[in-house]
Amino acid sequence: MYTKQLLQSQLEKLGIHKQGTLLVHSSFKSIGEVDGGPDTVLDSLSEYMKDGLLVLPTHTWSYIDGKNPIFSVEDSPTCVGILTERFRKRKGVVRSWHPTHSVAAIGKDATAFTSGDEKFDTPCARGSAWGKLLDRQAQIMLVGVDLRRNTFMHGVEEWLDIPGRLTDTHESLYTVLPDGRKLSVPSRRHYGLSWSEHFWKVEDYFLQLEAMYIGTFGDAEVRVCDTVKMTEILTEMLTIDPELFSDNEPLSEKFKQEFEAMLSR
């Protein structure tokens, strides 16, 4: 059974920067048996990052849409796991106001980090929390999940304006603030195909080029990603082939040759 102290020692071994910014995507079940359950996991992360910033996604994209357009910052549950739902309700945690792709944070600059997402009409705008992860050279920890759950990669595609990723039209969505005010947040959506299901294709290069490494947290296999290096690699890859993630096939030999030639320049 894992204790808070054991989990924190694993965070140390993983090379998580205590004074940095850490975003965690997670599968609680993958961690194994924890003394105290989800709250112990959150305690271990929050205390380890007490001099930095801890961020978890609190997405609601699975059910906030044109037919159900009201997102409540205080009351709308997350659709991305038990740890995220428990985290958003914790004392001192601040949640952003984006109706479908909110995040919650605690620690250094949490209010500034989560502010302003409702001003953008896309899920992962460069000026939103997702872009701030890059500005802060954040680490992303994928606990028991793989690159297919790495929302940051959607952000890179969005910043590069990759065709076909977002709807041209807006849905009329609304955010209800803790004080009861209701904001109109017209929003474009991720379009059609679930592009993220194909993000696995670049894992080998992420590992080879040290944008990611693999370790453990509890029983879970963990991928620790560097936002700066990921962005650099994905920018080069998507310059070569904007349709890189349009299918579920491995990278072609032609693509590998072009990419490796680009790296050698």
Side-chain angles (χ1 to χ4, degrees), residues 212-231:
M212 183 178 80
Y213 56 88
I214 293 177
T216 56
F217 183 67
D219 290 340
E221 183 175 70
V222 173
R223 289 162 172 80
V224 180
C225 304
D226 179 312
T227 52
V228 174
K229 291 180 179 178
M230 276 198 303
T231 302

Side-chain angles (χ1 to χ4, degrees), residues 109-257:
D109 303 326
T111 299
F113 180 82
T114 55
S115 295
D117 284 13
E118 74 286 354
K119 297 175 182 178
F120 302 102
D121 67 346
T122 59
C124 305
R126 182 64 181 84
S128 74
W130 299 100
K132 292 173 188 175
L133 290 171
L134 176 58
D135 296 334
R136 297 170 74 107
Q137 301 178 30
Q139 292 174 297
I140 295 177
M141 196 171 146
L142 305 173
V143 180
V145 296
D146 59 26
L147 289 175
R148 293 175 296 174
R149 299 297 174 264
N150 192 345
T151 303
F152 182 83
M153 292 173 65
H154 280 301
V156 177
E157 288 193 303
E158 184 176 318
W159 310 333
L160 294 174
D161 198 23
I162 301 300
R165 295 305 188 262
L166 298 171
T167 59
D168 293 327
T169 58
H170 294 75
E171 286 185 326
S172 296
L173 305 182
Y174 301 88
T175 294
V176 176
L177 305 184
D179 63 8
R181 284 180 294 151
K182 183 178 178 182
L183 304 180
S184 174
V185 189
S187 299
R188 298 168 68 192
R189 304 286 299 228
H190 285 138
Y191 181 76
L193 180 69
S194 183
W195 308 100
S196 61
E197 291 303 309
H198 308 153
F199 286 169
W200 63 269
K201 297 167 67 166
V202 299
E203 177 160 303
D204 287 347
Y205 275 119
F206 276 8
L207 291 168
Q208 177 184 325
L209 299 172
E210 299 182 340
M212 183 178 80
Y213 56 88
I214 293 177
T216 56
F217 183 67
D219 290 340
E221 183 175 70
V222 173
R223 289 162 172 80
V224 180
C225 304
D226 179 312
T227 52
V228 174
K229 291 180 179 178
M230 276 198 303
T231 302
E232 291 172 351
I233 292 167
L234 287 171
T235 298
E236 299 287 3
M237 287 181 160
L238 291 166
T239 297
I240 294 170
D241 183 9
E243 295 298 315
L244 179 65
F245 298 121
S246 64
D247 62 47
N248 213 34
E249 298 300 317
L251 299 177
S252 69
E253 289 304 315
K254 179 182 178 183
F255 176 87
K256 291 179 182 178
Q257 290 170 6

